[in-house]
Amino acid sequence: MTAHPSAYDAKVARRADPAFGPARDAGVLEAADIHVATRLGVLAGEQDWLPLLALALAVRAVRKGSTCLDLGEAVGIPDEVRRAGEETELPAPSLPEWPADADGWRDAVSRSALAAAGVLVVEHDLVYLDRYRRQEVQVAQTLIDRSRATAPRVVEDVLAEGLRRLFPADGWAEQSSAAGRAVRQWTTVLTGGPGTGKTTTVAGLLALLAEQHEALGGSGRLRVGLAAPTGKAAARLQESIASASTVFGAADQARVGGLEASTLHRLLGWNPRQRNKFRHGADNRLPHDVIVVDETSMVDLTMMARLLDAVRPQARLVLVGDPDQLASVDAGAVLADLVDGYRQVAPDTVARLLVSRRFDEAIGAVAAAVRDGDADRVVELLRDGGSSVDWIEDGDPAEVLRPRLVERALRLRRLAVDGEVTAGLAALAEHRLLCARRTGPRGVVGWNRLVDQWLSEAIGDPLWDPMYVGRPLLVTRNDYGLGLLNGDSGLVVAGENGVPTAAMVTAAGVLQLGAGRLSDVETMHAMTVHKSQGSEAPEVTVLLPDDESPMLVRELLYTAVTRAGSRVTVVGSEQAIRTAVGNRIRRASGLRERLQAL
């Protein structure tokens, strides 16, 4: 029996349309982009090369995080390929049939069979796959409708007294102002860097809203939905709100007590047996009076569209996050678009907290300089960082970092062998080695293997058992049966009779179970910056890729540096630092412009 080749196989892409060959050889398009374009082109009866190229690039754009293709930028791709070849001193493939005029290209796509079939939609110089254009329009229109609705009823004297009670005057003016605004409107975007008090603001806001509910004669308890994109982030949200409310009086503690957070998928009632099917939507709205979404920077356009479809028009929606952090791994930079879009037309919708209480002063200064795009200042601060900021710019990172990483691995090993669960988990939480990507010479996979090798050499043990005692663990998929969530971490320790036991840190506390029961886990000597979002550690080491890597962007460096509480070490050349600070994630989107039509 003859095996059928995969639709993503490069050989299929070569046979699909020879005109795509130069773009494929130049690394501009991948096999999947070409396959989708040629297949849909056949179904639509498309004969023109320009619309087919636009379709392939639109697929590529979504794969890289954009919601659409910007033709104005796409005409410059040959120049980018040429410059990349010059920088690497390699011959750059030519792209002879590449369009040089965005207007002519747009007109060709607008008149195409693909556009007539509804596969592509053209707006201005943006080309959308129909699905993402519909989602973008829906998100913008829903938010515009919410902003135009009659404001919620508020008992102002009760609110004024509640703000004084929950946010004492000294040092809480930002949080008080943000909470007061959120009470008076249906939609609030609450932003701020780590340690600026976003969760404290949310906890106080929920107490204020519950008090308003009582003052307005509402029956029963205020219905609150707490959610986040991942299980780990949801658990942190629940824990943080419970912790923040401990400083409240008894009545306010009762108002926010017992709240549970879930993933967005669980909030909306995702059915894993029916792909992309959710219980809640436009025809079955969520019952909540208030919905709070944390880590909104990680929410993609598709999930935001589903959420807004399910939220009742008369329910308050609070979107919380840091727009300067890395965006979702899927299409869209929704939080950043909302902040920029609202800024011009409805600035009160966005409440930004600026004063951070988490960082050492030097770390905070580096983070601020990165956020502001000031490369000279970042380099200056890294050179003069003192005891809390270290910069390793010369030498082989493996040789430079080996002593400290081996020391940490040996310490974990000793505590694990002795069965010291509490001390072992505390040691694990002290430090994070963060990489830009999973693969490659400075990726997570390679560094995890390298530290395992060094540990093996240091203790004279080949560590054949995948669940060796002392192995740090990171959960990569939710396992509700075991009570583990994606992002939970732990350590393999010696249990009774020396049997390897996984001690895992979960939202419910430390869970100990046979190490052999775990399946979706990986070693955690190192982790990606993306995986670290929403967490922190006293000490962080940031391993930057070389200065030609496309992963070097401002959002990545900012996210990595702001994971550190008391000490950060940046490993990378000055050029890598400057490249990262100077490059921003570029995601084509029309959402902010649509919001500005408000």
Side-chain angles (χ1 to χ4, degrees):
M1 188 168 109
T2 304
H4 293 285
S6 166
Y8 299 94
D9 193 295
K11 294 179 181 178
V12 176
R14 292 191 189 99
R15 293 196 300 269
D17 190 330
F20 283 117
R24 182 198 64 239
D25 295 339
V28 174
L29 294 175
E30 293 189 0
D33 309 326
I34 298 170
H35 174 78
V36 171
T38 53
R39 181 60 179 160
L40 291 179
V42 169
L43 293 174
E46 183 60 69
Q47 302 295 320
D48 190 348
W49 158 246
L50 292 182
L52 288 171
L53 176 61
L55 174 54
L57 289 170
V59 175
R60 168 188 183 260
V62 169
R63 180 168 52 78
K64 289 182 171 291
S66 295
T67 60
C68 55
L69 171 67
D70 186 330
L71 291 177
E73 293 183 359
V75 295
I77 287 178
D79 293 333
E80 296 177 9
V81 171
R82 187 162 45 253
R83 284 194 298 270
E86 292 171 355
E87 291 173 359
T88 58
E89 299 182 352
L90 295 174
S94 63
L95 298 169
E97 298 188 46
W98 204 271
D101 174 35
D103 291 338
W105 197 357
R106 178 197 61 216
D107 293 342
V109 177
S110 298
R111 297 190 305 267
S112 68
L114 286 168
V119 175
L120 294 179
V121 180
V122 182
E123 290 188 356
H124 308 297
D125 281 340
L126 302 178
V127 176
Y128 289 86
L129 299 174
D130 180 61
R131 167 190 171 188
Y132 292 97
R133 190 258 180 188
R134 284 187 285 108
Q135 290 176 350
E136 198 174 272
V137 169
Q138 178 213 324
V139 167
Q141 190 58 57
T142 302
L143 291 172
I144 289 172
D145 291 345
R146 290 178 63 84
S147 69
R148 290 174 175 170
T150 302
R153 292 172 58 200
V154 175
V155 183
E156 287 291 344
D157 57 340
V158 173
L159 174 59
E161 194 281 326
L163 289 170
R164 285 192 296 271
R165 182 180 70 248
L166 292 162
F167 300 100
D170 294 339
W172 294 100
E174 285 186 337
Q175 291 74 16
S176 177
S177 174
R181 267 194 269 171
V183 170
R184 297 184 179 96
Q185 56 196 17
W186 295 116
T187 306
T188 300
V189 180
L190 178 63
T191 74
T196 53
K198 296 190 295 294
T199 306
T200 299
T201 303
V202 169
L205 169 63
L206 294 176
L208 292 170
L209 290 174
E211 188 176 31
Q212 287 289 315
H213 180 71
E214 297 163 7
L216 290 167
S219 60
R221 190 178 184 186
L222 188 74
R223 295 167 296 184
V224 177
L226 302 178
T230 67
K232 184 67 173 178
R236 283 194 301 269
L237 173 62
Q238 179 176 320
E239 180 182 358
S240 297
I241 288 180
S243 176
S245 66
T246 58
V247 300
F248 297 165
D252 290 315
Q253 284 191 39
R255 290 179 175 122
V256 299
L259 295 178
E260 296 184 358
S262 70
T263 64
L264 281 168
H265 278 79
R266 297 191 83 180
L267 177 73
L268 296 176
W270 178 57
N271 185 346
R273 296 182 181 86
Q274 292 181 286
R275 188 176 181 184
N276 296 328
K277 295 292 185 181
F278 290 82
R279 183 169 66 254
H280 293 288
D283 56 351
N284 182 26
R285 305 275 192 175
L286 289 164
H288 305 89
D289 302 305
V290 186
I291 294 175
V292 177
V293 180
D294 198 17
E295 298 293 349
T296 308
S297 64
M298 300 166 63
V299 179
D300 62 87
L301 177 65
T302 298
M303 181 54 71
M304 183 58 70
R306 288 171 175 154
L307 172 66
L308 291 176
D309 212 26
V311 177
R312 293 187 301 112
Q314 283 71 46
R316 285 179 177 83
L317 176 64
V318 184
L319 303 174
V320 185
D322 185 350
D324 297 307
Q325 287 189 19
L326 286 166
S328 163
V329 295
D330 294 312
V334 176
L335 181 61
D337 283 344
L338 296 188
V339 171
D340 289 343
Y342 277 126
R343 183 176 292 144
Q344 295 185 25
V345 294
D348 283 349
T349 302
V350 179
R352 186 173 186 181
L353 306 178
L354 298 174
V355 180
S356 176
R357 295 169 171 80
R358 175 190 294 182
F359 299 121
D360 169 273
E361 183 177 346
I363 296 174
V366 172
V370 172
R371 182 194 63 214
D372 296 340
D374 190 342
D376 290 339
R377 179 64 174 157
V378 173
V379 170
E380 176 189 350
L381 290 167
L382 289 176
R383 292 201 191 285
D384 303 327
S387 60
S388 58
V389 176
D390 190 18
W391 182 18
I392 300 173
E393 56 178 318
D394 299 314
D396 179 3
E399 292 303 315
V400 173
L401 295 178
R402 178 171 182 167
R404 67 179 73 177
L405 293 178
V406 170
E407 179 184 356
R408 292 183 185 279
L410 285 172
R411 183 182 174 203
L412 285 178
R413 170 78 173 185
R414 287 193 297 269
L415 292 169
V417 169
D418 292 342
E420 297 287 346
V421 173
T422 301
L425 293 176
L428 178 65
E430 290 174 358
H431 175 260
R432 290 287 182 266
L433 173 61
L434 303 182
C435 303
R437 58 190 304 168
R438 285 188 52 78
T439 58
R442 296 196 179 188
V444 167
V445 173
W447 276 86
N448 278 330
R449 289 174 180 166
L450 198 55
V451 177
D452 272 350
Q453 176 187 325
W454 292 338
L455 176 62
S456 175
E457 293 171 357
I459 63 177
D461 184 334
L463 301 176
W464 296 120
D465 187 350
M467 286 295 180
Y468 67 83
V469 174
R471 181 189 178 191
L473 300 173
L474 178 68
V475 177
T476 59
R477 182 180 297 181
N478 294 341
D479 188 330
Y480 296 111
L482 293 179
L484 296 174
L485 299 176
N486 184 7
D488 284 343
S489 59
L491 181 67
V492 179
V493 301
E496 292 185 10
N497 302 318
V499 175
T501 299
M504 308 300 298
V505 180
T506 75
V510 176
L511 173 68
Q512 297 189 50
L513 67 164
R517 298 179 63 189
L518 301 180
S519 55
D520 295 307
V521 294
E522 61 185 30
T523 303
M524 199 188 71
H525 296 301
M527 67 190 305
T528 63
V529 178
H530 260 107
K531 282 282 190 181
S532 74
Q533 281 186 272
S535 66
E536 64 176 290
E539 296 187 35
V540 165
T541 300
V542 183
L543 185 60
L544 296 179
D546 61 66
D547 53 30
E548 297 172 356
S549 171
M551 300 295 293
L552 275 175
V553 291
R554 187 184 305 174
E555 291 84 353
L556 180 130
L557 182 56
Y558 172 83
T559 302
V561 169
T562 55
R563 299 311 93 201
S566 58
R567 182 176 178 81
V568 64
T569 299
V570 178
V571 183
S573 66
E574 179 176 339
Q575 186 55 51
I577 297 292
R578 292 185 177 277
T579 299
V581 175
N583 289 342
R584 300 214 67 174
I585 292 176
R586 297 169 63 185
R587 293 194 168 187
S589 164
L591 180 56
R592 67 190 68 184
E593 287 77 13
R594 296 183 196 280
L595 277 176
Q596 288 168 2
L598 185 148

